[in-house]
Amino acid sequence: QGCTQKYVVKNYFYYYLFKFSAALGEEVFYITFLPFSYWNIDRSVSRRMLIVWSIVMYIGQVSKDILKWPRPLSPPVVKLEKRTDAEYGMPSTHAMAATAISFSFFIATLNQYKYPFELGLVAAFVFSTLVCLSRLYTGMHTVLDVIGGALISAVLLVLLYPAWDVIDHLLLTSPFTPLLSIVVPLVLCYNYPKLEYYSPTRGDTTTILGAGAGATVGFWLNNHLAAPAYTSENFQFGFHSITTKIAVTMLARFFVGIVVILLTRQLMKSVALGMLSYRYKFPLDDLEAQRRLEVEVPCKFITYSSVGFSATVIVPLLHELLGLM
């Protein structure tokens, strides 16, 4: 442990393909694709993806720290990533997220947009397969970890699908949604399974649930104060009807939104960490202090719930002001 293995890349096509595919199961993908779908494709589709993604990822992260199955030994495998090496392996949450997002997107759009069933199915399968294979190529998971993650995600998707319209309706209309959206994730984060040593899984789980909580409050607020979700869905165009003007508008929405999200994340992280540093008397650069439960959970939850709220409320308002709607 602690040693960096030396390796020679013999096939740069596979190397960059699977490095890129691995990124499709990480924060850089979540923070771009999920907001993009909300701003540019269909709000009902993005809400359903967020519901599935949040539930699947929470169950996957908790399962890791309950099962405590180790990652592949290195050597013999060469690990191309280091950050997630501190986590346990089973199930692969990359495989779970890729399966959940790709197939929930496919199912949610199938009846709303005109495109060949086979094309959507193949696209979802290829996307999830590339992410799954990337976990083997990068040495981060065993075949069993990946198969287990994909199967768990598939089972959860089958179980959630019959109820996701009901869940979506309740989240949009219930007067208890704002309170429960904040309280329930916080309770889950503070009662996350304890480990003998620090693992980033608790922080990652808080990030996911925080983003989901902020977005859910945004969905509810939009439905009550802005355009009701069931009567005025925005961006209801078919994929076949995308013109150059629409494509440019979509890109403009995306870049404006991403800038706002990144600024929100940086600002709220600084504010939250500064407040917690003052409260618990530790230097801002003290990494060990930032990993403590009483610091990590509120810091990440405040940061990413703000990101989720900003993506669903602030950014659409800015789009409207800029004439991008």
Side-chain angles (χ1 to χ4, degrees):
Q1 291 185 351
C3 298
T4 301
Q5 287 183 273
K6 294 182 178 179
Y7 58 88
V8 177
V9 178
K10 295 183 178 180
N11 190 315
Y12 280 96
F13 173 77
Y14 288 142
Y15 178 78
Y16 287 113
L17 172 65
F18 291 124
K19 289 285 281 185
F20 173 76
S21 301
L24 297 178
E26 296 172 357
E27 182 186 359
V28 65
F29 176 73
Y30 305 145
I31 210 169
T32 53
F33 177 72
L34 292 176
F36 179 89
S37 69
Y38 186 76
W39 301 329
N40 289 309
I41 300 177
D42 189 303
R43 292 185 175 182
S44 66
V45 171
S46 62
R47 289 197 305 269
R48 284 157 177 74
M49 282 196 298
L50 186 73
I51 291 169
V52 172
W53 173 67
S54 299
I55 294 173
V56 164
M57 289 299 288
Y58 175 76
I59 291 175
Q61 294 285 77
V62 169
S63 298
K64 278 187 179 185
D65 289 341
I66 291 177
L67 293 174
K68 298 182 179 180
W69 286 21
R71 289 185 182 269
L73 294 176
S74 178
V77 304
V78 175
K79 294 186 178 180
L80 304 184
E81 298 177 16
K82 294 301 177 185
R83 179 186 176 276
T84 55
D85 198 25
E87 300 177 9
Y88 289 108
M90 178 67 173
S92 166
T93 47
H94 274 70
M96 293 183 72
T99 303
I101 289 177
S102 59
F103 282 94
S104 62
F105 182 81
F106 166 58
I107 294 169
T109 58
L110 185 60
N111 295 324
Q112 297 194 45
Y113 300 100
K114 294 181 180 179
Y115 63 87
F117 172 86
E118 295 79 7
L119 177 63
L121 182 62
V122 169
F125 181 77
V126 169
F127 179 91
S128 57
T129 300
L130 281 175
V131 175
C132 290
L133 291 176
S134 75
R135 308 317 290 156
L136 303 178
Y137 183 87
T138 55
M140 302 310 296
H141 285 286
T142 64
V143 174
L144 187 59
D145 294 343
V146 170
I147 293 176
L151 286 178
I152 292 171
S153 189
V155 170
L156 290 172
L157 190 56
V158 169
L159 294 175
L160 287 170
Y161 174 69
W164 71 2
D165 287 338
V166 175
I167 295 171
D168 184 51
H169 178 73
L170 288 174
L171 291 178
L172 288 173
T173 60
S174 172
F176 303 106
T177 293
L179 178 63
L180 293 178
S181 296
I182 300 299
V183 172
V184 172
L186 274 175
V187 169
L188 293 175
C189 292
Y190 274 107
N191 290 277
Y192 192 83
K194 293 180 173 60
L195 297 175
E196 296 79 16
Y197 62 90
Y198 177 78
S199 168
T201 48
R202 184 183 64 204
D204 291 344
T205 303
T206 306
T207 294
I208 293 164
L209 294 185
T216 302
V217 173
F219 297 152
W220 181 89
L221 193 63
N222 286 337
N223 190 52
H224 283 75
L225 301 181
Y230 288 110
T231 60
S232 181
E233 288 287 0
N234 291 322
F235 323 135
Q236 289 286 345
F237 51 81
F239 292 118
H240 64 281
S241 63
I242 297 178
T243 62
T244 302
K245 181 179 178 181
I246 291 176
V248 170
T249 302
M250 291 170 65
L251 288 174
R253 289 186 195 130
F254 175 70
F255 285 117
V256 168
I258 287 299
V259 169
V260 173
I261 282 180
L262 293 177
L263 290 175
T264 300
R265 182 175 65 171
Q266 188 59 44
L267 174 64
M268 296 310 299
K269 180 179 179 180
S270 300
V271 170
L273 192 58
M275 292 171 59
L276 291 165
S277 172
Y278 177 79
R279 169 66 177 83
Y280 294 107
K281 311 299 181 186
F282 65 86
L284 287 174
D285 58 351
D286 188 341
L287 183 59
E288 290 302 315
Q290 293 179 31
R291 290 175 170 178
R292 285 155 39 190
L293 174 68
E294 65 272 21
V295 176
E296 183 177 57
V297 169
C299 182
K300 287 186 177 292
F301 194 86
I302 290 171
T303 300
Y304 285 92
S305 61
S306 300
V307 167
F309 184 82
S310 178
T312 53
V313 177
I314 306 300
V315 172
L317 287 175
L318 185 57
H319 286 164
E320 188 171 358
L321 289 172
L322 295 174
L324 296 174
M325 298 298 285

